[in-house]
Amino acid sequence: MSDAPKSDAAAAWGIPSKSETHWPVVAAVLAAIVLQLVLPDRLLIDLAAKVVVPAIEGVLLLVLLVTNPGRLNLEQRRLRLVGIALIALVSLANTVSLVELIHALLYDAKTAGRTLVYASVPIWLTNVIAFGLWYWELDRGGPARRTQPTHPRPDFLFPQMGARGSDPTWTPDFSDYLYTSFTNATAFSPTDTMPLTRWAKLLMAVQSMASLITVAVVVSRAVNILK
């Protein structure tokens, strides 16, 4: 049987010429850890969590760096669970901080309002980073899988994939997913990149809801402070 249909189909969805480097992702995770460290102690269930959680995240990141210092490839796919655990921990820690922030803004009159409003900035930025990491890790089976001609069909439709005259070998890297996360968090809906699968739609809906709640509660408290 001829491989032409299979090759044409793979080219239509984009076959990258080389694997992706992980250094932008490392920088994003480090930024998320720093943003967690600058949060007020009031937004943590336990003071020890301010040190323990970033420390665990740092250890997981170090494991990924030591075991895979080069580019992402299929041989390192067994480490994907470690990467998913790292992203999940970042997301969980930020969710806890967001819940504590909303509770403090609504019910804690003793806490300085300006401090909480300022604290919303690193929480919102961490939200953007965390969901950018989720999109990057899950789309087409992950960064290592989508470098292969036999990768699953895309979960996101990027403009470059459907534009006339676009490069058929183009594939998104982490910056594309981070941009998608940022625009979704600011517009509270997809912009130029469309979710194609149910999980992608659900994940973008969760991010939009978290971003909308954060902005709505913080703005309402900020208005009271100005008054």
Side-chain angles (χ1 to χ4, degrees):
M1 182 180 295
S2 174
D3 293 333
K6 182 178 180 180
S7 300
D8 292 341
W13 291 107
I15 303 173
S17 58
K18 61 181 180 179
S19 60
E20 182 181 350
T21 179
H22 58 198
W23 290 112
V25 179
V26 172
V29 173
L30 290 176
I33 293 175
V34 171
L35 290 170
Q36 290 173 350
L37 290 174
V38 302
L39 286 175
D41 297 339
R42 171 67 181 81
L43 300 183
L44 298 169
I45 295 179
D46 191 335
L47 270 179
K50 188 169 186 177
V51 177
V52 174
V53 173
I56 296 175
E57 293 168 350
V59 169
L60 292 176
L61 182 61
L62 184 61
V63 169
L64 292 175
L65 285 175
V66 170
T67 55
N68 184 21
R71 289 180 172 270
L72 300 170
N73 51 64
L74 286 175
E75 285 70 23
Q76 299 298 335
R77 286 178 61 192
R78 62 184 180 276
L79 297 174
R80 192 181 181 209
L81 290 178
V82 179
I84 291 177
L86 174 58
I87 301 171
L89 185 57
V90 172
S91 300
L92 178 61
N94 199 56
T95 300
V96 171
S97 297
L98 175 58
V99 171
E100 290 296 312
L101 172 68
I102 294 173
H103 183 272
L105 286 170
L106 295 177
Y107 303 109
D108 192 351
K110 297 180 180 179
T111 306
R114 284 183 173 81
T115 300
L116 295 176
V117 170
Y118 295 151
S120 67
V121 176
I123 290 178
W124 188 87
L125 290 174
T126 304
N127 176 63
V128 171
I129 294 173
F131 278 93
L133 290 169
W134 280 121
Y135 302 152
W136 172 81
E137 181 62 56
L138 297 178
D139 185 28
R140 309 190 204 184
R145 181 74 181 277
R146 62 175 168 263
T147 63
Q148 305 302 309
T150 57
H151 64 68
R153 296 224 166 196
D155 299 284
F156 293 93
L157 178 63
F158 290 87
Q160 294 88 337
M161 295 164 57
R164 178 174 298 180
S166 59
D167 182 2
T169 64
W170 183 89
T171 189
D173 59 21
F174 177 68
S175 63
D176 297 292
Y177 295 103
L178 187 62
Y179 174 77
T180 298
S181 178
F182 178 82
T183 55
N184 189 53
T186 53
F188 311 124
S189 64
T191 53
D192 63 343
T193 301
M194 294 292 108
L196 300 178
T197 56
R198 290 186 177 90
W199 77 256
K201 294 176 182 178
L202 178 61
L203 205 56
M204 293 191 80
V206 170
Q207 182 189 13
S208 297
M209 181 177 66
S211 181
L212 179 59
I213 292 174
T214 304
V215 172
V217 174
V218 169
V219 168
S220 63
R221 183 60 179 267
V223 170
N224 291 332
I225 292 173
L226 292 176
K227 288 181 178 179

mmCIF file of all heavy atoms in Angstrom, residues 176-219:
data_model
loop_
_atom_site.group_PDB
_atom_site.id
_atom_site.type_symbol
_atom_site.label_atom_id
_atom_site.label_comp_id
_atom_site.label_asym_id
_atom_site.label_seq_id
_atom_site.Cartn_x
_atom_site.Cartn_y
_atom_site.Cartn_z
ATOM 1 N N ASP A 176 4.011 29.994 21.493
ATOM 2 C CA ASP A 176 2.676 30.039 20.898
ATOM 3 C C ASP A 176 1.605 29.674 21.929
ATOM 4 O O ASP A 176 0.539 30.296 21.977
ATOM 5 C CB ASP A 176 2.587 29.080 19.709
ATOM 6 C CG ASP A 176 3.540 29.461 18.595
ATOM 7 O OD1 ASP A 176 3.338 30.511 17.965
ATOM 8 O OD2 ASP A 176 4.500 28.708 18.359
ATOM 9 N N TYR A 177 1.894 28.676 22.755
ATOM 10 C CA TYR A 177 0.929 28.280 23.783
ATOM 11 C C TYR A 177 0.838 29.332 24.887
ATOM 12 O O TYR A 177 -0.245 29.566 25.431
ATOM 13 C CB TYR A 177 1.316 26.923 24.366
ATOM 14 C CG TYR A 177 1.246 25.810 23.363
ATOM 15 C CD1 TYR A 177 2.399 25.290 22.785
ATOM 16 C CD2 TYR A 177 0.018 25.281 22.966
ATOM 17 C CE1 TYR A 177 2.333 24.272 21.844
ATOM 18 C CE2 TYR A 177 -0.057 24.262 22.029
ATOM 19 C CZ TYR A 177 1.102 23.761 21.470
ATOM 20 O OH TYR A 177 1.038 22.763 20.530
ATOM 21 N N LEU A 178 1.968 29.962 25.218
ATOM 22 C CA LEU A 178 1.950 31.016 26.233
ATOM 23 C C LEU A 178 1.142 32.205 25.736
ATOM 24 O O LEU A 178 0.368 32.813 26.494
ATOM 25 C CB LEU A 178 3.382 31.445 26.569
ATOM 26 C CG LEU A 178 3.531 32.427 27.732
ATOM 27 C CD1 LEU A 178 3.022 31.801 29.027
ATOM 28 C CD2 LEU A 178 4.985 32.853 27.893
ATOM 29 N N TYR A 179 1.283 32.547 24.462
ATOM 30 C CA TYR A 179 0.499 33.631 23.881
ATOM 31 C C TYR A 179 -0.989 33.280 23.890
ATOM 32 O O TYR A 179 -1.837 34.124 24.206
ATOM 33 C CB TYR A 179 0.963 33.902 22.454
ATOM 34 C CG TYR A 179 0.115 34.924 21.725
ATOM 35 C CD1 TYR A 179 0.243 36.283 21.988
ATOM 36 C CD2 TYR A 179 -0.831 34.508 20.782
ATOM 37 C CE1 TYR A 179 -0.549 37.210 21.323
ATOM 38 C CE2 TYR A 179 -1.625 35.429 20.117
ATOM 39 C CZ TYR A 179 -1.482 36.780 20.390
ATOM 40 O OH TYR A 179 -2.270 37.693 19.740
ATOM 41 N N THR A 180 -1.309 32.040 23.556
ATOM 42 C CA THR A 180 -2.706 31.592 23.592
ATOM 43 C C THR A 180 -3.272 31.717 24.997
ATOM 44 O O THR A 180 -4.414 32.166 25.191
ATOM 45 C CB THR A 180 -2.805 30.135 23.118
ATOM 46 O OG1 THR A 180 -2.349 30.043 21.766
ATOM 47 C CG2 THR A 180 -4.225 29.623 23.209
ATOM 48 N N SER A 181 -2.479 31.334 25.988
ATOM 49 C CA SER A 181 -2.918 31.442 27.380
ATOM 50 C C SER A 181 -3.127 32.896 27.782
ATOM 51 O O SER A 181 -4.114 33.239 28.441
ATOM 52 C CB SER A 181 -1.881 30.785 28.298
ATOM 53 O OG SER A 181 -2.257 30.921 29.655
ATOM 54 N N PHE A 182 -2.222 33.769 27.370
ATOM 55 C CA PHE A 182 -2.328 35.187 27.724
ATOM 56 C C PHE A 182 -3.578 35.821 27.110
ATOM 57 O O PHE A 182 -4.324 36.528 27.790
ATOM 58 C CB PHE A 182 -1.074 35.927 27.260
ATOM 59 C CG PHE A 182 -1.118 37.412 27.533
ATOM 60 C CD1 PHE A 182 -0.790 37.904 28.787
ATOM 61 C CD2 PHE A 182 -1.484 38.300 26.542
ATOM 62 C CE1 PHE A 182 -0.837 39.270 29.046
ATOM 63 C CE2 PHE A 182 -1.542 39.666 26.790
ATOM 64 C CZ PHE A 182 -1.216 40.150 28.042
ATOM 65 N N THR A 183 -3.809 35.571 25.837
ATOM 66 C CA THR A 183 -4.972 36.162 25.183
ATOM 67 C C THR A 183 -6.271 35.597 25.747
ATOM 68 O O THR A 183 -7.277 36.310 25.863
ATOM 69 C CB THR A 183 -4.920 35.936 23.664
ATOM 70 O OG1 THR A 183 -4.782 34.531 23.396
ATOM 71 C CG2 THR A 183 -3.745 36.679 23.051
ATOM 72 N N ASN A 184 -6.286 34.326 26.106
ATOM 73 C CA ASN A 184 -7.477 33.733 26.699
ATOM 74 C C ASN A 184 -7.764 34.322 28.071
ATOM 75 O O ASN A 184 -8.926 34.514 28.452
ATOM 76 C CB ASN A 184 -7.303 32.218 26.810
ATOM 77 C CG ASN A 184 -8.580 31.511 27.211
ATOM 78 O OD1 ASN A 184 -9.621 31.685 26.592
ATOM 79 N ND2 ASN A 184 -8.512 30.707 28.256
ATOM 80 N N ALA A 185 -6.699 34.642 28.822
ATOM 81 C CA ALA A 185 -6.863 35.211 30.159
ATOM 82 C C ALA A 185 -7.282 36.677 30.116
ATOM 83 O O ALA A 185 -7.896 37.172 31.058
ATOM 84 C CB ALA A 185 -5.566 35.069 30.950
ATOM 85 N N THR A 186 -6.947 37.367 29.042
ATOM 86 C CA THR A 186 -7.305 38.785 28.933
ATOM 87 C C THR A 186 -8.641 38.996 28.245
ATOM 88 O O THR A 186 -9.392 39.911 28.584
ATOM 89 C CB THR A 186 -6.221 39.560 28.170
ATOM 90 O OG1 THR A 186 -5.964 38.916 26.916
ATOM 91 C CG2 THR A 186 -4.931 39.614 28.970
ATOM 92 N N ALA A 187 -8.951 38.165 27.260
ATOM 93 C CA ALA A 187 -10.210 38.299 26.525
ATOM 94 C C ALA A 187 -11.326 37.445 27.117
ATOM 95 O O ALA A 187 -12.486 37.590 26.731
ATOM 96 C CB ALA A 187 -10.005 37.922 25.061
ATOM 97 N N PHE A 188 -10.971 36.532 28.046
ATOM 98 C CA PHE A 188 -11.915 35.601 28.653
ATOM 99 C C PHE A 188 -12.562 34.691 27.608
ATOM 100 O O PHE A 188 -13.677 34.187 27.812
ATOM 101 C CB PHE A 188 -13.009 36.343 29.440
ATOM 102 C CG PHE A 188 -12.478 37.386 30.373
ATOM 103 C CD1 PHE A 188 -12.906 38.699 30.269
ATOM 104 C CD2 PHE A 188 -11.544 37.072 31.347
ATOM 105 C CE1 PHE A 188 -12.424 39.680 31.121
ATOM 106 C CE2 PHE A 188 -11.048 38.040 32.211
ATOM 107 C CZ PHE A 188 -11.491 39.349 32.089
ATOM 108 N N SER A 189 -11.881 34.480 26.507
ATOM 109 C CA SER A 189 -12.373 33.613 25.440
ATOM 110 C C SER A 189 -11.246 33.412 24.435
ATOM 111 O O SER A 189 -10.277 34.181 24.422
ATOM 112 C CB SER A 189 -13.584 34.235 24.739
ATOM 113 O OG SER A 189 -13.219 35.433 24.081
ATOM 114 N N PRO A 190 -11.338 32.401 23.567
ATOM 115 C CA PRO A 190 -10.312 32.208 22.539
ATOM 116 C C PRO A 190 -10.252 33.403 21.594
ATOM 117 O O PRO A 190 -11.265 34.065 21.345
ATOM 118 C CB PRO A 190 -10.780 30.941 21.804
ATOM 119 C CG PRO A 190 -11.686 30.250 22.761
ATOM 120 C CD PRO A 190 -12.349 31.335 23.552
ATOM 121 N N THR A 191 -9.072 33.690 21.084
ATOM 122 C CA THR A 191 -8.914 34.797 20.140
ATOM 123 C C THR A 191 -8.562 34.236 18.764
ATOM 124 O O THR A 191 -9.438 33.846 18.018
ATOM 125 C CB THR A 191 -7.838 35.772 20.637
ATOM 126 O OG1 THR A 191 -6.627 35.043 20.920
ATOM 127 C CG2 THR A 191 -8.296 36.481 21.906
ATOM 128 N N ASP A 192 -7.280 34.188 18.422
ATOM 129 C CA ASP A 192 -6.911 33.698 17.090
ATOM 130 C C ASP A 192 -6.656 32.202 17.056
ATOM 131 O O ASP A 192 -6.584 31.595 15.991
ATOM 132 C CB ASP A 192 -5.678 34.446 16.572
ATOM 133 C CG ASP A 192 -4.454 34.200 17.437
ATOM 134 O OD1 ASP A 192 -4.635 33.736 18.586
ATOM 135 O OD2 ASP A 192 -3.337 34.481 16.992
ATOM 136 N N THR A 193 -6.512 31.567 18.222
ATOM 137 C CA THR A 193 -6.270 30.127 18.297
ATOM 138 C C THR A 193 -7.513 29.438 18.840
ATOM 139 O O THR A 193 -7.971 29.756 19.934
ATOM 140 C CB THR A 193 -5.063 29.819 19.196
ATOM 141 O OG1 THR A 193 -3.907 30.471 18.667
ATOM 142 C CG2 THR A 193 -4.805 28.328 19.267
ATOM 143 N N MET A 194 -8.054 28.498 18.092
ATOM 144 C CA MET A 194 -9.311 27.857 18.448
ATOM 145 C C MET A 194 -9.088 26.477 19.062
ATOM 146 O O MET A 194 -8.298 25.680 18.536
ATOM 147 C CB MET A 194 -10.192 27.707 17.211
ATOM 148 C CG MET A 194 -10.663 29.008 16.605
ATOM 149 S SD MET A 194 -11.829 29.895 17.689
ATOM 150 C CE MET A 194 -10.775 31.256 18.246
ATOM 151 N N PRO A 195 -9.763 26.168 20.166
ATOM 152 C CA PRO A 195 -9.710 24.804 20.706
ATOM 153 C C PRO A 195 -10.554 23.867 19.845
ATOM 154 O O PRO A 195 -11.669 24.206 19.451
ATOM 155 C CB PRO A 195 -10.308 24.962 22.110
ATOM 156 C CG PRO A 195 -11.228 26.141 21.994
ATOM 157 C CD PRO A 195 -10.594 27.063 20.997
ATOM 158 N N LEU A 196 -10.026 22.680 19.571
ATOM 159 C CA LEU A 196 -10.709 21.733 18.696
ATOM 160 C C LEU A 196 -11.301 20.547 19.447
ATOM 161 O O LEU A 196 -12.281 19.964 18.989
ATOM 162 C CB LEU A 196 -9.741 21.218 17.627
ATOM 163 C CG LEU A 196 -9.127 22.269 16.695
ATOM 164 C CD1 LEU A 196 -8.150 21.597 15.727
ATOM 165 C CD2 LEU A 196 -10.203 23.022 15.930
ATOM 166 N N THR A 197 -10.704 20.179 20.565
ATOM 167 C CA THR A 197 -11.172 19.008 21.303
ATOM 168 C C THR A 197 -11.873 19.443 22.585
ATOM 169 O O THR A 197 -11.741 20.574 23.040
ATOM 170 C CB THR A 197 -9.989 18.089 21.652
ATOM 171 O OG1 THR A 197 -9.004 18.839 22.388
ATOM 172 C CG2 THR A 197 -9.337 17.541 20.401
ATOM 173 N N ARG A 198 -12.606 18.507 23.175
ATOM 174 C CA ARG A 198 -13.396 18.829 24.365
ATOM 175 C C ARG A 198 -12.503 19.254 25.529
ATOM 176 O O ARG A 198 -12.819 20.189 26.263
ATOM 177 C CB ARG A 198 -14.261 17.627 24.762
ATOM 178 C CG ARG A 198 -15.399 17.350 23.791
ATOM 179 C CD ARG A 198 -16.299 16.236 24.313
ATOM 180 N NE ARG A 198 -17.437 16.017 23.417
ATOM 181 C CZ ARG A 198 -17.432 15.167 22.410
ATOM 182 N NH1 ARG A 198 -16.345 14.452 22.155
ATOM 183 N NH2 ARG A 198 -18.490 15.016 21.659
ATOM 184 N N TRP A 199 -11.380 18.522 25.714
ATOM 185 C CA TRP A 199 -10.538 18.874 26.849
ATOM 186 C C TRP A 199 -9.923 20.251 26.665
ATOM 187 O O TRP A 199 -9.768 21.006 27.646
ATOM 188 C CB TRP A 199 -9.445 17.814 27.073
ATOM 189 C CG TRP A 199 -8.279 17.869 26.120
ATOM 190 C CD1 TRP A 199 -8.038 17.044 25.067
ATOM 191 C CD2 TRP A 199 -7.190 18.794 26.141
ATOM 192 N NE1 TRP A 199 -6.884 17.397 24.437
ATOM 193 C CE2 TRP A 199 -6.324 18.463 25.068
ATOM 194 C CE3 TRP A 199 -6.840 19.867 26.961
ATOM 195 C CZ2 TRP A 199 -5.160 19.173 24.795
ATOM 196 C CZ3 TRP A 199 -5.674 20.583 26.691
ATOM 197 C CH2 TRP A 199 -4.850 20.225 25.614
ATOM 198 N N ALA A 200 -9.576 20.620 25.439
ATOM 199 C CA ALA A 200 -9.008 21.936 25.191
ATOM 200 C C ALA A 200 -10.032 23.030 25.477
ATOM 201 O O ALA A 200 -9.719 24.073 26.074
ATOM 202 C CB ALA A 200 -8.509 22.037 23.755
ATOM 203 N N LYS A 201 -11.277 22.809 25.056
ATOM 204 C CA LYS A 201 -12.336 23.773 25.324
ATOM 205 C C LYS A 201 -12.584 23.902 26.822
ATOM 206 O O LYS A 201 -12.758 25.013 27.346
ATOM 207 C CB LYS A 201 -13.625 23.349 24.614
ATOM 208 C CG LYS A 201 -13.532 23.377 23.098
ATOM 209 C CD LYS A 201 -14.806 22.855 22.452
ATOM 210 C CE LYS A 201 -14.684 22.848 20.935
ATOM 211 N NZ LYS A 201 -15.907 22.304 20.281
ATOM 212 N N LEU A 202 -12.608 22.773 27.518
ATOM 213 C CA LEU A 202 -12.851 22.785 28.955
ATOM 214 C C LEU A 202 -11.723 23.505 29.693
ATOM 215 O O LEU A 202 -11.974 24.328 30.593
ATOM 216 C CB LEU A 202 -12.987 21.355 29.480
ATOM 217 C CG LEU A 202 -13.205 21.208 30.984
ATOM 218 C CD1 LEU A 202 -14.498 21.896 31.396
ATOM 219 C CD2 LEU A 202 -13.238 19.739 31.381
ATOM 220 N N LEU A 203 -10.489 23.229 29.301
ATOM 221 C CA LEU A 203 -9.346 23.851 29.964
ATOM 222 C C LEU A 203 -9.333 25.366 29.738
ATOM 223 O O LEU A 203 -9.062 26.145 30.667
ATOM 224 C CB LEU A 203 -8.045 23.221 29.444
ATOM 225 C CG LEU A 203 -6.829 23.278 30.373
ATOM 226 C CD1 LEU A 203 -7.143 22.637 31.708
ATOM 227 C CD2 LEU A 203 -5.643 22.590 29.733
ATOM 228 N N MET A 204 -9.645 25.793 28.529
ATOM 229 C CA MET A 204 -9.697 27.223 28.252
ATOM 230 C C MET A 204 -10.854 27.883 28.995
ATOM 231 O O MET A 204 -10.741 29.039 29.443
ATOM 232 C CB MET A 204 -9.825 27.465 26.746
ATOM 233 C CG MET A 204 -8.600 27.046 25.945
ATOM 234 S SD MET A 204 -8.627 27.624 24.227
ATOM 235 C CE MET A 204 -8.096 29.320 24.432
ATOM 236 N N ALA A 205 -11.963 27.171 29.163
ATOM 237 C CA ALA A 205 -13.093 27.714 29.919
ATOM 238 C C ALA A 205 -12.733 27.896 31.386
ATOM 239 O O ALA A 205 -13.082 28.911 32.009
ATOM 240 C CB ALA A 205 -14.306 26.793 29.780
ATOM 241 N N VAL A 206 -12.018 26.914 31.945
ATOM 242 C CA VAL A 206 -11.589 27.018 33.344
ATOM 243 C C VAL A 206 -10.644 28.203 33.532
ATOM 244 O O VAL A 206 -10.765 28.968 34.496
ATOM 245 C CB VAL A 206 -10.917 25.708 33.791
ATOM 246 C CG1 VAL A 206 -10.258 25.874 35.157
ATOM 247 C CG2 VAL A 206 -11.931 24.574 33.840
ATOM 248 N N GLN A 207 -9.703 28.367 32.606
ATOM 249 C CA GLN A 207 -8.788 29.495 32.711
ATOM 250 C C GLN A 207 -9.527 30.823 32.607
ATOM 251 O O GLN A 207 -9.269 31.757 33.368
ATOM 252 C CB GLN A 207 -7.712 29.427 31.629
ATOM 253 C CG GLN A 207 -6.707 30.568 31.754
ATOM 254 C CD GLN A 207 -5.763 30.659 30.567
ATOM 255 O OE1 GLN A 207 -5.995 30.040 29.530
ATOM 256 N NE2 GLN A 207 -4.703 31.432 30.709
ATOM 257 N N SER A 208 -10.445 30.943 31.659
ATOM 258 C CA SER A 208 -11.213 32.174 31.495
ATOM 259 C C SER A 208 -12.011 32.497 32.750
ATOM 260 O O SER A 208 -12.075 33.651 33.184
ATOM 261 C CB SER A 208 -12.153 32.057 30.297
ATOM 262 O OG SER A 208 -11.436 31.902 29.095
ATOM 263 N N MET A 209 -12.621 31.466 33.345
ATOM 264 C CA MET A 209 -13.402 31.683 34.554
ATOM 265 C C MET A 209 -12.520 32.160 35.706
ATOM 266 O O MET A 209 -12.871 33.099 36.431
ATOM 267 C CB MET A 209 -14.127 30.398 34.947
ATOM 268 C CG MET A 209 -14.993 30.539 36.188
ATOM 269 S SD MET A 209 -15.913 29.026 36.565
ATOM 270 C CE MET A 209 -14.549 27.911 36.972
ATOM 271 N N ALA A 210 -11.353 31.524 35.878
ATOM 272 C CA ALA A 210 -10.435 31.934 36.947
ATOM 273 C C ALA A 210 -9.949 33.357 36.741
ATOM 274 O O ALA A 210 -9.882 34.151 37.693
ATOM 275 C CB ALA A 210 -9.252 30.969 36.999
ATOM 276 N N SER A 211 -9.628 33.697 35.506
ATOM 277 C CA SER A 211 -9.160 35.047 35.215
ATOM 278 C C SER A 211 -10.264 36.074 35.436
ATOM 279 O O SER A 211 -10.035 37.152 35.999
ATOM 280 C CB SER A 211 -8.648 35.114 33.775
ATOM 281 O OG SER A 211 -8.162 36.397 33.473
ATOM 282 N N LEU A 212 -11.481 35.747 34.999
ATOM 283 C CA LEU A 212 -12.608 36.669 35.141
ATOM 284 C C LEU A 212 -12.935 36.912 36.611
ATOM 285 O O LEU A 212 -13.170 38.061 37.026
ATOM 286 C CB LEU A 212 -13.830 36.099 34.423
ATOM 287 C CG LEU A 212 -15.112 36.934 34.485
ATOM 288 C CD1 LEU A 212 -14.884 38.307 33.886
ATOM 289 C CD2 LEU A 212 -16.251 36.220 33.783
ATOM 290 N N ILE A 213 -12.943 35.853 37.416
ATOM 291 C CA ILE A 213 -13.219 36.000 38.841
ATOM 292 C C ILE A 213 -12.146 36.853 39.509
ATOM 293 O O ILE A 213 -12.452 37.747 40.318
ATOM 294 C CB ILE A 213 -13.314 34.618 39.515
ATOM 295 C CG1 ILE A 213 -14.558 33.871 39.022
ATOM 296 C CG2 ILE A 213 -13.349 34.755 41.032
ATOM 297 C CD1 ILE A 213 -14.655 32.457 39.530
ATOM 298 N N THR A 214 -10.888 36.594 39.170
ATOM 299 C CA THR A 214 -9.798 37.373 39.751
ATOM 300 C C THR A 214 -9.942 38.857 39.435
ATOM 301 O O THR A 214 -9.886 39.708 40.332
ATOM 302 C CB THR A 214 -8.436 36.875 39.219
ATOM 303 O OG1 THR A 214 -8.298 35.484 39.483
ATOM 304 C CG2 THR A 214 -7.297 37.633 39.879
ATOM 305 N N VAL A 215 -10.154 39.164 38.175
ATOM 306 C CA VAL A 215 -10.271 40.572 37.766
ATOM 307 C C VAL A 215 -11.493 41.225 38.391
ATOM 308 O O VAL A 215 -11.420 42.360 38.900
ATOM 309 C CB VAL A 215 -10.329 40.665 36.228
ATOM 310 C CG1 VAL A 215 -10.645 42.096 35.797
ATOM 311 C CG2 VAL A 215 -9.017 40.207 35.613
ATOM 312 N N ALA A 216 -12.631 40.528 38.408
ATOM 313 C CA ALA A 216 -13.867 41.108 38.932
ATOM 314 C C ALA A 216 -13.749 41.426 40.420
ATOM 315 O O ALA A 216 -14.121 42.521 40.872
ATOM 316 C CB ALA A 216 -15.037 40.158 38.682
ATOM 317 N N VAL A 217 -13.234 40.471 41.194
ATOM 318 C CA VAL A 217 -13.121 40.675 42.633
ATOM 319 C C VAL A 217 -12.089 41.753 42.956
ATOM 320 O O VAL A 217 -12.308 42.614 43.815
ATOM 321 C CB VAL A 217 -12.766 39.351 43.336
ATOM 322 C CG1 VAL A 217 -12.507 39.577 44.814
ATOM 323 C CG2 VAL A 217 -13.879 38.332 43.152
ATOM 324 N N VAL A 218 -10.952 41.722 42.267
ATOM 325 C CA VAL A 218 -9.897 42.705 42.532
ATOM 326 C C VAL A 218 -10.355 44.105 42.149
ATOM 327 O O VAL A 218 -10.125 45.069 42.887
ATOM 328 C CB VAL A 218 -8.607 42.320 41.774
ATOM 329 C CG1 VAL A 218 -7.603 43.462 41.820
ATOM 330 C CG2 VAL A 218 -8.004 41.061 42.370
ATOM 331 N N VAL A 219 -11.015 44.244 41.007
ATOM 332 C CA VAL A 219 -11.485 45.561 40.580
ATOM 333 C C VAL A 219 -12.511 46.120 41.569
ATOM 334 O O VAL A 219 -12.474 47.308 41.920
ATOM 335 C CB VAL A 219 -12.088 45.483 39.156
ATOM 336 C CG1 VAL A 219 -12.842 46.767 38.821
ATOM 337 C CG2 VAL A 219 -10.988 45.251 38.135
#
